[in-house]
Amino acid sequence: MILSRPRVLSAAAVALALSVTACSPKSADSKSAPGVTDSTIKLGMLVDLTGPFATSGKTSNAASQFAVDEINAAGGVCGRKIRLVARDHGYDVQKAVTAYDEVAPQVLGFLNVYGSAITSALRDKISANDALVGLTAFSPTLLGDPHLLEVGATYDVQAINSIDWMVREGMLKRGDTLGHIYLQGEIGENSLKGSRFATKELGLKLASQQIKPTDADLTSQVNAMKAAGAKAILLDSTSKQTAAVAGAARGVGLDVPIMGNVATFATSLLSTAAAPALLKNYYRVSGVGLLGSDGPEVKKLAGKWKAKFGAAQPESGGAVVLSYVTTHLFAKIIGGTCGDLTRKGVLAARGKVTDFRIAGLGPELNLSDPAQPTSRASQIHRPDKGVYAGMKLVEDFKVSDLAKRYQVEAG
């Protein structure tokens, strides 16, 4: 597949482009579209504010609102201001279905549906409604659906890039055993596909243990990793479970690198008893940018958080970056169909946006094929109390040779 070269945009450039679009004529047909009036466009948000991923769910809401405020201040989209309609699903499928049924008649589309499992449960409803839905999810099984907007490397690709990095750094060598503690459901099971591929290609052994999002004591899983002779651990978990794994590993004398995916860290972990173990052994792989890095767009976004919340740092810097970027991308798509602000019009406009990037906040995104990840690049981070949001950059965005060869199985 030939990839087009994405245009690198600043958030200010995106907002300016949208303000120009705001001058476009308003369509009479669009007035009857759900969530669209002469002055507003309402977009839905279904996020986890009280469940196992609440740390990133809460920050997602705030970051989306930052982007919306910026877009509205520049004139809005298609001469209208964006308004958000948010509901908490607590990472509970039934609550999510109820919330979707309540919000869907009120909105043009959904800016954010949080979670792979939640999205999978809603796919039939989303398709029946012809709604465009932005995601906080990186599941390959959600690819191939033009209704779903997934930003960044998928869980399996992230796992491949992280294992490749550990081998390049000498943490693993041919014949070693990699332990993989993974969540039940799409997050962990898709990540496991990546770890199986990478370990086979790199001549490693794999020892895996499945956990549930509600599991608190992970000592038995860590003991299983030790018994298997694991030289490193790949981790898909909640942030609380990351602390449990790091603490248990330290307790049993398993002094090995722990590589977690983007959702496994919360800034407040560095104020807990698990901090010494995390600072020594924990790393994070991420398909989105780092809030604690340099660069004008990153500093501006971090400044918005500081202005709003003062000394309280975001629990998930990755969620801040992802939601901010996705919001600007979603607005760009809507801005391409001002003459037809219906759900079908938005879906058609999504197909015309083939590339996107906000400099410093993520990799180059290629949206030309919904069946492929928008990016295969990952960063590697590690915790640092002296860096904003608790994470510093170890390796910038890179696509490993393994990730290039890997065949993503879209849903």
Side-chain angles (χ1 to χ4, degrees), residues 352-390:
K352 297 175 184 177
V353 177
T354 58
D355 54 70
F356 188 78
R357 186 187 180 195
I358 298 179
L361 293 180
E364 298 175 343
L365 300 179
N366 185 321
L367 298 99
S368 61
D369 185 354
Q372 292 298 315
T374 54
S375 169
R376 293 185 181 229
S378 300
Q379 284 183 336
I380 304 295
H381 310 153
R382 74 171 308 172
D384 188 325
K385 289 184 177 180
V387 177
Y388 193 69

Side-chain angles (χ1 to χ4, degrees), residues 130-135 142-152 329-338 340 342-356 365-375:
D130 276 327
L132 181 65
V133 174
L135 303 180
L142 300 177
L143 296 175
D145 188 336
H147 299 90
L148 306 180
L149 193 60
E150 189 171 314
V151 172
L329 172 57
F330 208 102
K332 180 181 179 180
I333 291 170
I334 295 174
T337 184
C338 293
D340 181 15
T342 62
R343 287 175 173 169
K344 289 185 180 295
V346 172
L347 284 178
R350 181 256 181 268
K352 297 175 184 177
V353 177
T354 58
D355 54 70
F356 188 78
L365 300 179
N366 185 321
L367 298 99
S368 61
D369 185 354
Q372 292 298 315
T374 54
S375 169

Side-chain angles (χ1 to χ4, degrees), residues 205-248:
K205 300 173 185 176
L206 181 65
S208 58
Q209 289 280 312
Q210 187 183 83
I211 60 175
K212 298 177 181 178
T214 52
D215 290 343
D217 184 356
L218 301 180
T219 305
S220 64
Q221 287 84 1
V222 171
N223 278 329
M225 297 293 100
K226 184 178 181 180
K231 300 298 183 183
I233 295 173
L234 188 63
L235 180 63
D236 302 289
S237 71
T238 68
S239 58
K240 289 182 180 179
Q241 289 172 326
T242 300
V245 168

Side-chain angles (χ1 to χ4, degrees), residues 294-349:
D294 292 326
E297 290 298 328
V298 179
K299 290 181 177 178
K300 184 176 75 171
L301 180 54
K304 289 178 181 292
W305 187 278
K306 294 172 185 177
K308 176 72 173 180
F309 298 105
Q313 297 187 36
E315 279 286 72
S316 174
V320 173
V321 173
L322 175 63
S323 296
Y324 183 81
V325 170
T326 301
T327 302
H328 275 289
L329 172 57
F330 208 102
K332 180 181 179 180
I333 291 170
I334 295 174
T337 184
C338 293
D340 181 15
L341 283 175
T342 62
R343 287 175 173 169
K344 289 185 180 295
V346 172
L347 284 178

